[in-house]
Each structure stands twice: as C-alpha cells, then as structure tokens.
Amino acid sequence: MSGTPTAVVVAAALTHEGTLLLAQRTRPPELAGLWELPGGKVEPGESEDSALARELREELGVECSIGAALSGDVDLAGGLVLRAYRATLVSGTPAALEHSALRWVDAAMLPTMDLVDADRLWLPELLDILLTS
Ligand code: 9L3
Ligand code: MG
C-alpha cells in the first residue's frame, strides 16, 4: 500500500558445529508447538541486524553476530515480510526465554521437524549450510 512502510520480521539461521538452532513457538495458537528460526519484528528506526541481535538477546539470552541474508523473502499475513540472516554465537548459551523449547538440529534431523510454514522456503539452503559447515 502506498505510504505504508512494509514491516519486516527478521529470523536467525543460528548455527554451531554443524547444527542449527530451532525454537518451538508458544503463540499464537495456530503456530504453538511448531518450530521456527528465532526472531521477531524490526522496530521503527532499527536496522535489521540490530533488531535480530536484540530479538536473540530477548528470546535466547545470547549475544550473536549477524551475517548474510538467506535467499528470498516470505510474505506473511498483515503486510509483514519475513527475512532470514545467518548468525553465530558470540557469548552465552541459548535458553528458551520466550519459547517452549530449543533444539540444535543437524542436517538429518532438520527435515523431520514440524516447522512453521513461513520458514520452509529456506529448508534447502539451511540443509546446504549444515552439510557444508
Ligand atoms: N514468524 C515466522 N517465522 C519466524 C519468525 C521469527 C516469525 N521464524 C512470524 C510469526 C508471526 C510474525 O512472524 O506471525 C511475528 O513474529 P513474532 O514477533 O511473533 O516472533
Ligand atoms: Mg519472536
């Protein structure tokens, strides 16, 4: 819509030693129990990198370094656009501060996880990242 800036949701492909961190959502009811790349909405005036670092601090209690974007954006309901970035841990151990559980998954486990639909676009690229890291 003209004059309405697109709101961006940023999500992290946080990897460590050949595994990817997935987080299990608690809300809304239709997404509860499904697994996602952790993240959230970019606030006005915030860069996407700093928004994602803030979301990972709030949701996981860790400091991360944000890297390159994955390929492609996903249109979400409500005019939101979802974008994913590579991320690596700088300090701390992730804890499920806002999710019901966390799981480090390898390339064999990833396709078996019940992911939110929005994040499925990146499945091939995530597998590639895990298999080449
Ligand atoms: N969302 C989808 N996949 C993700 C993330 C982080 C978020 N990996 C969707 C779920 C919500 C919206 O984006 O509809 C906002 O996310 P949040 O602020 O509820 O985490
Ligand atoms: Mg979130």
Side-chain angles (χ1 to χ4, degrees), residues 9-12 25 27-28 31 35-41 55 59 76-77 80 82 99 116 118-119 122:
V9 178
V10 284
R25 289 192 65 98
R27 64 175 175 83
L31 298 181
W35 295 84
E36 68 171 4
L37 303 179
K41 285 180 192 151
E55 287 287 342
E59 295 188 346
L76 299 174
L80 295 171
L82 177 66
H99 290 87
V116 296
D119 296 24
W122 295 301

Side-chain angles (χ1 to χ4, degrees), residues 5 31 42 45-46 56 64 74 96 98 100 102 113 119 133:
L31 298 181
V42 179
E46 208 177 25
L56 298 177
C64 291
V74 177
E98 297 185 6
S100 50
L102 302 179
M113 300 296 290
D119 296 24
S133 64

Side-chain angles (χ1 to χ4, degrees), residues 11 13 49 52 65-71 84-87 125 129:
D49 281 25
L52 187 51
S65 167
I66 309 302
L70 302 197
S71 299
Y85 287 87
R86 301 284 303 267
E125 189 170 355
I129 288 167

Side-chain angles (χ1 to χ4, degrees), residues 47-68:
S47 70
E48 294 182 12
D49 281 25
S50 52
L52 187 51
R54 172 186 53 72
E55 287 287 342
L56 298 177
R57 200 175 298 126
E58 292 171 357
E59 295 188 346
L60 308 174
V62 292
E63 291 302 321
C64 291
S65 167
I66 309 302

Side-chain angles (χ1 to χ4, degrees), residues 17-46:
E17 295 180 349
T19 61
L20 171 76
L21 189 74
L22 293 181
Q24 191 174 35
R25 289 192 65 98
T26 61
R27 64 175 175 83
E30 59 271 23
L31 298 181
L34 299 179
W35 295 84
E36 68 171 4
L37 303 179
K41 285 180 192 151
V42 179
E43 289 174 2
E46 208 177 25

